[in-house]
């Protein structure tokens, strides 16, 4: 059995317990940490739920107000003793107006909610796109009423529903055009100088003078 000398033993122990530290990380380590990070989608889900609640509540309240204004009898019943439903006792033309205007008002409220989110939540993409889901919900509502109209007409007024659909399309175009990241890039310095020379040429009627500066060494 060979026993190392005291100075050799200290060298062996120092090597065994040595720890290396780095102030910087490799790109592979940074990418691995980025993958491991969990993204919180709670703001997106909450904003989409608010958009759905706005659409639902607006249509229900608008239907009650329009039905009451047109003289319909409104009853609140419960399906399976849990789910509340609204029932309107009236003639067919009045029923068509109730469905048409409540749908139009609900889609209009959803579009205004998306435009308000475009102004208030421009720096929060999750809330912004969560509210933008209200456009898809409003479009599905119009499609649903149109399918009902095809299956058992009449249910909606085609002209008012067409205007509501146009409002949804215009709002979608505004959202796509003004959402973050859709701005045109600023001109670079070279492009700005070229445009300046072109404007000078158009103003003077002659091409701008180009001067070349030669760099040389001076001898003393």
């Amino acid at each position: 059995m060979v026993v190392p000398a005291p100075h050799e033993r200290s060298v062996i122990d120092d090597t065994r317990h040595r720890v290396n530290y780095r102030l910087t990380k490799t790109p592979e380590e940074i990418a691995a940490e980025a993958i491991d990070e969990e993204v919180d989608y709670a703001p997106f889900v909450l904003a989409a739920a608010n958009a759905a609640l706005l659409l639902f509540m607006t249509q229900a309240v608008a239907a009650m107000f329009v039905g009451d204004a047109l003289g319909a009898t409104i009853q609140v019943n419960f399906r399976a003793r849990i789910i509340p439903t609204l029932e309107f006792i009236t003639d067919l033309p009045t029923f068509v107006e109730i469905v048409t205007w409540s749908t139009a008002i609900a889609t209009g409220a959803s579009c205004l909610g998306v435009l308000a989110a475009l102004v208030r939540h421009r720096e929060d993409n999750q809330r912004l796109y969560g509210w933008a889901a209200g456009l898809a919900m409003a479009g599905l509502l119009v499609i649903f009423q149109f399918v009902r109209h095809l299956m058992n007409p009449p249910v909606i007024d085609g002209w008012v529903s067409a205007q509501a659909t146009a409002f949804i399309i215009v709002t979608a175009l505004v959202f796509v055009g003004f959402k973050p990241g859709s701005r045109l890039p600023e001109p670079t310095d070279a492009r700005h100088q070229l445009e300046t020379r072109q404007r000078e040429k158009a103003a003077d009627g002659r091409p701008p003078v180009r001067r070349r500066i030669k760099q040389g060494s001076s001898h003393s």
Side-chain angles (χ1 to χ4, degrees):
M1 179 177 180
V2 180
V3 179
H7 67 279
E8 294 178 353
R9 188 182 307 166
S10 61
V11 172
I12 295 174
D13 293 340
D14 292 341
T15 305
R16 181 181 303 170
H17 297 287
R18 184 177 301 169
V19 179
N20 296 326
Y21 294 95
R22 286 199 316 270
L23 297 179
T24 59
K25 297 181 180 180
T26 62
E28 291 78 10
E29 293 176 345
I30 296 176
E33 291 180 358
I35 295 175
D36 293 337
E37 292 180 355
E38 296 183 357
V39 180
D40 185 14
Y41 291 101
F44 174 81
V45 175
L46 182 60
N50 289 333
L53 183 62
L54 175 65
L55 181 67
F56 172 75
M57 293 300 298
T58 304
Q59 186 182 17
V61 174
M64 289 189 292
F65 273 99
V66 173
D68 183 70
L70 297 177
T73 302
I74 305 173
Q75 294 181 353
V76 179
N77 297 326
F78 291 87
R79 290 185 179 181
R81 298 181 180 180
I82 298 176
I83 304 174
T85 58
L86 293 176
E87 293 186 3
F88 299 89
I89 302 175
T90 183
D91 55 355
L92 184 58
T94 304
F95 175 75
V96 172
E97 291 191 21
I98 293 173
V99 175
T100 299
W101 287 106
S102 63
T103 302
I105 294 172
T107 55
S110 296
C111 292
L112 293 178
V114 173
L115 295 178
L118 188 61
V119 176
R120 296 177 55 189
H121 303 299
R122 291 188 60 84
E123 303 301 328
D124 192 346
N125 287 334
Q126 291 203 25
R127 284 192 174 90
L128 179 61
Y129 286 99
W131 276 100
L135 288 177
M137 300 175 192
L140 290 176
L141 177 61
V142 174
I143 293 173
F144 172 74
Q145 301 293 9
F146 181 70
V147 171
R148 288 181 59 195
H149 179 76
L150 293 178
M151 293 175 62
N152 188 18
V155 176
I156 56 175
D157 186 350
W159 175 242
V160 178
S161 299
Q163 290 179 332
T165 304
F167 192 28
I168 295 174
I169 295 174
V170 170
T171 305
L173 293 176
V174 171
F175 179 82
V176 172
F178 291 94
K179 66 182 178 63
S182 59
R183 296 181 180 179
L184 295 177
E186 297 293 334
T188 58
D189 293 340
R191 180 180 177 183
H192 180 68
Q193 294 176 1
L194 178 60
E195 293 177 352
T196 303
R197 289 197 298 267
Q198 290 178 351
R199 287 195 297 268
E200 293 177 353
K201 179 180 178 180
D204 298 337
R206 59 179 183 274
V209 179
R210 298 182 179 179
R211 298 179 179 179
R212 295 182 179 179
I213 299 175
K214 297 183 179 179
Q215 295 180 355
S217 59
S218 59
H219 301 279
S220 57

